[in-house]
Amino acid sequence: MTQGHGNDTARGHRITVEQAPVHVRVVRGGQLVAESRRPLLLRETGLPVRYYLPPEDVRTDLLTPSETHTVCPFKGTASYWSLPGEPDLVWAYPEPVEAVAEIRDHFCFYETEVVAEPAG
């Protein structure tokens, strides 16, 4: 499921999306906001690695839509959501560009904790 950007507008810019075999969670103010064992891992030239979580794994009932929208030429237009006291905490791409279509409607947080699984 890895995809590169075939027609990059910036020379050398690359994005890959793959299923991440990790358990991640997001906790804010002592409350579990998201937890997933099936996040997508997005790597993008010059940016930190990001986890995109399926909407079923996010407590969307805790989030309030924001007026903020940003445009990325490589991913599309992002919409943002907030928690009380934490504006624009999470974002998603409702209509991403075709090269990263897998991230459609998946939520991404600025800080995501990778949970260590017990050795089996």
Side-chain angles (χ1 to χ4, degrees):
M1 187 174 5
T2 300
Q3 295 202 7
H5 237 273
N7 296 321
D8 295 339
T9 58
R11 193 157 181 78
H13 192 91
R14 181 168 172 78
I15 295 179
T16 60
V17 178
E18 60 191 75
Q19 190 68 53
V22 296
H23 175 189
V24 298
R25 68 179 167 205
V26 177
V27 177
R28 293 293 185 278
Q31 186 167 37
L32 184 66
V33 179
E35 183 169 30
S36 182
R37 285 184 168 79
R38 54 197 181 120
L40 296 175
L41 179 71
L42 186 140
R43 290 184 173 91
E44 182 173 4
T45 303
L47 296 174
V49 171
R50 296 287 186 199
Y51 293 99
Y52 281 78
L53 284 56
E56 302 81 23
D57 296 347
V58 177
R59 293 277 317 270
T60 55
D61 59 307
L62 300 175
L63 302 174
T64 303
S66 166
E67 295 295 321
T68 303
H69 297 279
T70 59
V71 177
C72 170
F74 305 106
K75 294 185 295 286
T77 300
S79 297
Y80 288 76
W81 290 262
S82 303
L83 281 175
E86 294 194 64
D88 300 339
L89 173 72
V90 58
W91 66 94
Y93 290 90
E95 296 182 25
V97 299
E98 187 175 328
V100 293
E102 299 99 329
I103 67 169
R104 178 183 309 276
D105 293 328
H106 281 56
F107 290 93
C108 188
F109 292 80
Y110 284 105
E111 295 176 23
T112 304
E113 171 190 3
V114 176
V115 180
E117 296 290 335

